[in-house]
Amino acid sequence: MEQSNSAIRKKRVKAQQNIVTGLCLACMAFTVGWSVFAGVVSHKNAVKAALADKNTSSKAEVVSKAEETSSQEDMPESSQDENAAVDSFAPYAQEEGGHPYAVAKDTADDLSDAVFIGDSRTVGMMNSTDKPQATFICAVGLNIDTVLTSTDIVQGDGSVGTLAQALSGREFGRVYISFGTNEMGWPYTDVFEDHFTELVTTIQGYQPNAKIYLIGILPLAQSQDMDGDAVNNENAKLFTQSIKAVADKLGVYFLDCSAAVADENGYLPEEASPDGIHMNMDYCLYWQNFIIDNS
């Protein structure tokens, strides 16, 4: 009976998923192209300002390890309150001289051992990155239900293929997984957790020596939050709790990056996004640099 109920829930998820994905895809194609060019001038100015400011903020302690392991000394430091990271979107600490994550403090990290797996928000980072040695496995409209079967995933060499093809080609030191935006309309978070668990265990099979980070869903702009029946900040927090639950269960890292992009009210600033969901070049780089400095 339990298996039958699970099958029914998954069918319902499919229907909900198609509706939400359809609503998002119209703006995604525009966003991907736009993110390459938008904010170039402002980004350069921010970088110059940040370089001139030697008193940027200290490293935020936001990475939490779900379970104790024998290699605990190699783990990043945990935040003082793990739950605070997913209960609300913490704003970044704006300082004189520009955004605190305009430039990564760890300038030696070129992300050459890192792979980023995700949806259109990860595509935005791929199109904005200043770390050409980083690897991105991502696609517009990709979600936790399709990532293991899709044949349209961008590979490290720019071609498209499957996740298995992308992960079997080389060994990575770090794997960053970012999903949840396209799934916020799903009626059952347990189905989301099941798919996320399957993805992580599959990746562990291909990359047994890599540190795996599950990234919480980034906040949305206030305009999207008010208009989005499913894609809103309440659901972003709800599904982020599920992401953290998977990290707890599997003993992998959970990383809340909201402090890199949230304003003082916990929203993605309106000027940071053309549609309230996807970020411009500057904010994609803030997100990337936050990850560098906190993992």
Side-chain angles (χ1 to χ4, degrees), residues 31 40 89 152 175 190 196 227 245 276 284:
T31 303
V40 173
F89 292 122
D152 298 321
V175 178
D190 60 336
F196 220 125
D227 294 337
C284 285

Side-chain angles (χ1 to χ4, degrees), residues 255-270:
L255 181 60
D256 176 20
C257 301
S258 62
V261 299
D263 64 16
E264 63 275 11
N265 296 313
Y267 294 109
L268 179 68
E270 297 292 342

Side-chain angles (χ1 to χ4, degrees), residues 110-235:
D110 61 3
L111 296 176
S112 58
D113 71 329
V115 58
F116 295 83
I117 302 172
D119 52 28
S120 56
R121 278 179 155 179
T122 304
V123 172
M125 185 193 293
M126 178 181 68
N127 290 337
S128 304
T129 186
D130 56 357
K131 305 292 184 182
Q133 295 189 62
T135 299
F136 290 87
I137 303 173
C138 51
V140 173
L142 195 64
N143 63 53
I144 202 71
D145 185 28
T146 60
V147 62
L148 292 176
T149 57
S150 175
T151 58
D152 298 321
I153 298 174
V154 175
Q155 309 286 294
D157 60 0
S159 64
V160 295
T162 65
L163 178 68
Q165 290 172 328
L167 291 177
S168 60
R170 57 167 291 192
E171 183 175 347
F172 294 98
R174 292 169 288 174
V175 178
Y176 298 97
I177 306 172
S178 178
F179 285 102
T181 303
N182 294 329
E183 296 89 325
M184 280 190 269
W186 289 18
Y188 303 109
T189 56
D190 60 336
V191 177
F192 176 75
E193 291 180 24
D194 288 345
H195 283 300
F196 220 125
T197 299
E198 182 182 8
L199 172 62
V200 174
T201 55
T202 299
I203 291 172
Q204 288 175 322
Y206 285 105
Q207 300 291 327
N209 299 317
K211 292 181 178 179
I212 296 178
Y213 297 83
L214 309 189
I215 298 176
I217 303 171
L218 295 173
L220 307 163
Q222 187 174 13
S223 57
Q224 173 62 35
D225 185 54
M226 295 176 64
D227 294 337
D229 292 336
V231 185
N232 53 51
N233 281 335
E234 180 180 358
N235 277 339

